[in-house]
Amino acid sequence: MAKTLWRDRNDALDPETDYVEIVQNLTLYEFPWDITQALSFALFRTYAVPSIGRLLDETGEFTTACQKRYDDTALLLEAPFVHGLDSDEGRTAIRRVNQMHRMYDIGNEDLRYVLSTFVVVPKRWLDAYGWRPLSENELRATVAYYRALGRRMGIKDVPETYDGFMHLMDDYERAHFAFDEGARRVADATLSLLGTFYPGPLQGPVERFSRAFMDRPLLDAFRYDDPGPRVRRAVRVAMAARARALRHWPSKRRPRFLADMPRIKSYPDGYALDRLGSFSPYARGCPVAAE
């Protein structure tokens, strides 16, 4: 089957109206591993903003139940594009996210920043490590999808273009990245979790190789040592070899859902979207008004 199957299909769709389908095709078929990895590193970037990383540490969710917190975040983010933003499953997932956010004093600026990482980091990951970059149609659809998600989360002043998201993310990081002991604990716990996704002999090196995917500002914010030029070079060579190999593999025909990935371990017997995440005794309906 032609390697351009999903790019051709996505480029035949309208990014302003078919953005959910395009995001499905990208995440479930074309780049399931790449986008999962990119979003994992997008979360690392959010920890480096002290107001975010410190809050995550104070909740204890990442340091005492990191696997569950990782799984819940991934599954709640997946449901809206798998089932549709306005499907029962999509609404349930977004309602759960909104309820959790309402439990804490989270400012709109932090929420806008987190949203921007979901747009910008996967694009940059694919530019650097993917077998191909996103097409212009796919990039516009990604922007449209996260703008729609942002509206349903009650986030104000969401950028209208990729450049807007990019400048928001870069400017926010320059202004806010800083060391925080709590944020470092969250980052350490997440790095330890990433190691468990690989066979025993690889778990030790995973932490060093993970740091090789981090840029200098991110390393500095956590006070992590740079892994060094040899490790960075090894990562670049390995990822380039992977990209070359993938260019010759046929397009995937079966979707790959997060629940089917071995790294999602908390729910071997299945899960209910409305029971994922943390709860407040005062949470009832969705705190964000429906569109």
Side-chain angles (χ1 to χ4, degrees), residues 43-44 46-66 69 104 106 110 178-190 222 224 278:
L43 289 175
F44 268 106
T46 69
Y47 307 160
V49 174
S51 58
I52 298 173
R54 187 184 307 122
L55 174 61
L56 292 172
D57 178 60
E58 290 171 352
T59 68
E61 292 287 323
F62 268 96
T63 51
T64 62
C66 194
R69 185 67 167 81
Y104 307 102
I106 304 174
D110 278 353
F179 178 74
D180 179 87
E181 291 183 358
R184 169 66 185 257
R185 284 192 290 270
V186 173
D188 288 347
T190 306
F222 294 133
Y224 281 155
S278 54

Side-chain angles (χ1 to χ4, degrees), residues 19-282:
Y19 48 84
V20 171
E21 182 177 351
I22 293 173
V23 170
Q24 284 176 346
N25 293 341
L26 289 171
T27 310
L28 301 179
Y29 296 93
E30 188 77 302
F31 301 114
W33 184 85
D34 291 276
I35 291 179
T36 298
Q37 293 298 116
L39 291 178
S40 295
F41 282 98
L43 289 175
F44 268 106
R45 304 195 78 83
T46 69
Y47 307 160
V49 174
S51 58
I52 298 173
R54 187 184 307 122
L55 174 61
L56 292 172
D57 178 60
E58 290 171 352
T59 68
E61 292 287 323
F62 268 96
T63 51
T64 62
C66 194
Q67 178 73 63
K68 183 180 185 300
R69 185 67 167 81
Y70 178 93
D71 294 350
D72 290 358
T73 300
L75 294 170
L76 288 170
L77 287 175
E78 181 186 62
F81 69 76
V82 168
H83 302 286
L85 287 161
D86 294 321
S87 66
D88 288 343
E89 294 88 347
R91 288 179 178 273
T92 297
I94 296 168
R95 183 184 307 116
R96 276 276 55 233
V97 171
N98 290 340
Q99 288 171 342
M100 287 187 286
H101 286 169
R102 183 56 64 91
M103 290 162 54
Y104 307 102
D105 183 18
I106 304 174
N108 187 72
E109 294 305 301
D110 278 353
L111 291 172
R112 282 205 317 154
Y113 166 66
V114 173
L115 191 70
S116 75
T117 68
F118 296 160
V119 176
V120 178
V121 176
K123 195 266 187 192
R124 288 179 173 172
W125 176 282
L126 292 171
D127 286 346
Y129 307 118
W131 75 268
R132 70 168 177 88
L134 295 176
S135 70
E136 181 62 26
N137 225 45
E138 291 167 337
L139 188 58
R140 288 175 58 198
T142 301
V143 168
Y145 176 81
Y146 282 105
R147 279 178 52 78
L149 179 62
R151 287 195 299 273
R152 288 161 175 81
M153 294 174 64
I155 303 175
K156 299 177 178 62
D157 302 319
V158 174
E160 297 181 0
T161 64
Y162 173 77
D163 282 351
F165 276 109
M166 179 185 66
H167 290 303
L168 187 161
M169 187 183 100
D170 291 342
D171 291 346
Y172 206 71
E173 291 181 352
R174 278 191 291 270
H176 294 280
F177 267 15
F179 178 74
D180 179 87
E181 291 183 358
R184 169 66 185 257
R185 284 192 290 270
V186 173
D188 288 347
T190 306
L191 273 182
S192 296
L193 176 67
L194 293 181
T196 68
F197 297 158
Y198 299 90
L202 297 178
Q203 290 183 8
V206 162
E207 190 265 347
R208 287 187 70 199
F209 281 97
S210 294
R211 283 188 282 121
F213 289 106
M214 298 182 185
D215 55 34
R216 186 78 254 176
L218 187 58
L219 291 171
D220 288 346
F222 294 133
R223 295 184 182 170
Y224 281 155
D225 293 333
D226 191 289
R230 290 185 179 180
V231 174
R232 288 192 178 277
R233 190 178 307 114
V235 166
R236 289 196 300 270
V237 169
M239 294 299 288
R242 173 181 177 269
R244 285 194 299 270
L246 286 176
R247 292 188 187 102
H248 301 287
W249 289 8
S251 295
K252 296 180 180 69
R253 294 298 304 274
R254 293 183 179 180
R256 190 176 189 190
F257 300 101
L258 283 171
D260 299 329
M261 294 185 179
R263 64 176 53 194
I264 303 297
K265 303 175 182 178
S266 300
Y267 305 103
D269 300 319
Y271 60 92
L273 284 168
D274 62 353
R275 301 309 303 166
L276 297 181
S278 54
F279 284 84
S280 163
Y282 307 105

